[in-house]
Amino acid sequence: MVALALGSIVVATLLVAALESGTPVPDASAVYLVAVAVVGSVGGTWPAAATAVASFLAYDVLFLEPRFSLLIVEPTDWLNL
């Protein structure tokens, strides 16, 4: 189950990076919802909750300014998260 959760987060992160850099999509954070739904349908509530928390952290650290920190500067970014 851990492998599925981590794999889905990695795939979602790669898709978000591709969408936000290669297309005019400014916010592709909804891709992480698919990862959470897949893990939840296979593993249940607790693995889905853990995937949601990990997705939150991954998107915050990797895609929101300032990058590579947990700081959230823009109030609109709270909606994305």
Side-chain angles (χ1 to χ4, degrees):
M1 192 52 49
V2 174
L4 176 63
L6 289 176
S8 67
I9 292 170
V10 168
V11 169
T13 301
L14 293 173
L15 283 172
V16 169
L19 285 171
E20 288 189 359
S21 66
T23 65
V25 175
D27 171 34
S29 61
V31 172
Y32 285 109
L33 292 175
V34 176
V36 173
V38 167
V39 172
S41 68
V42 173
T45 302
W46 291 109
T51 304
V53 170
S55 297
F56 172 91
L57 294 172
Y59 189 76
D60 184 25
V61 170
L62 297 174
F63 297 104
L64 296 181
E65 294 295 333
R67 291 183 188 225
F68 308 113
S69 83
L70 292 174
L71 185 64
I72 301 170
V73 177
E74 295 293 323
T76 56
D77 288 339
W78 281 105
L79 293 174
N80 295 338
L81 291 170

